Amino acid sequence: MILFVFNLLLAIVWAAITGSASFLNLVFGFVLSAFALAIVRESYGGVLYLGRIRRILALLLLFLRELAKSAWAVAVTVMSPKMDVKPGIFAFPLTVDRDFEIALLANLITLTPGTLSVDVSEDRKTLYVHALDCSDPEAVKHDIAEGFERRILEAFR
């Protein structure tokens, strides 16, 4: 976040130096300062925030894809004449450990139709999840771990 603010400040400095505060000149200054920060940042072995933005967008796209798939699955389940579901609650072991990451994972699970985050254990190592169809909880756990949780770790670590 600090790099982003610094990038904005450098773009404003660029506009002041060139004497033009047009939108295109500010965008050009932002891109130019992003490249300059990337060159300087790589020499110190740091993580580029532009890469983080790409990973956050990948998480967003994964969420939208899972949202569409689960909404379709819930709609098909509800519209079928014989609802063959086995609702239940299972314990999901957490790999994420920061409050923000746990809250984000819980919200992504809750916003996806057919699943609902119920509670987090006191030691913050287990998330309890209610699923509309809990006939194979291990498969659901695997999907969450390899989907949302892995992308959250990639984006925010």
Side-chain angles (χ1 to χ4, degrees):
M1 186 65 175
I2 292 172
L3 273 174
F4 179 73
V5 172
F6 194 56
N7 196 356
L8 284 176
L9 288 173
L10 286 174
I12 292 169
V13 168
W14 171 262
I17 290 172
T18 59
S20 173
S22 68
F23 178 73
L24 286 176
N25 194 35
L26 283 170
V27 169
F28 179 72
F30 186 82
V31 171
L32 187 65
S33 61
F35 284 127
L37 287 174
I39 291 168
V40 172
R41 187 80 173 165
E42 284 182 7
S43 66
Y44 293 110
V47 177
L48 295 173
Y49 79 92
L50 295 176
R52 177 172 284 181
I53 291 172
R54 183 184 53 79
R55 291 188 299 269
I56 290 172
L57 287 175
L59 174 64
L60 177 67
L61 290 175
L62 172 70
F63 170 69
L64 292 175
R65 188 181 79 217
E66 291 296 322
L67 179 68
K69 282 179 19 183
S70 62
W72 177 258
V74 169
V76 168
T77 301
V78 170
M79 297 302 286
S80 67
K82 180 183 174 195
M83 287 188 9
D84 187 29
V85 295
K86 296 177 181 159
I89 296 176
F90 62 90
F92 177 75
L94 291 171
T95 305
V96 294
D97 55 358
R98 297 187 309 189
D99 289 338
F100 170 74
E101 295 168 343
I102 294 170
L104 181 60
L105 178 63
N107 283 322
L108 289 175
I109 290 170
T110 298
L111 289 171
T112 307
T115 55
L116 175 72
S117 300
V118 179
D119 196 12
V120 178
S121 66
E122 289 291 326
D123 61 357
R124 296 177 8 189
K125 297 204 182 289
T126 306
L127 179 67
Y128 297 99
V129 178
H130 179 274
L132 181 65
D133 188 12
C134 200
S135 57
D136 189 8
E138 293 304 317
V140 178
K141 287 180 193 179
H142 181 267
D143 289 344
I144 293 172
E146 290 301 315
F148 291 142
E149 192 173 37
R150 183 175 60 85
R151 292 293 171 106
I152 288 171
L153 287 171
E154 289 173 358
F156 298 105
R157 295 271 169 118

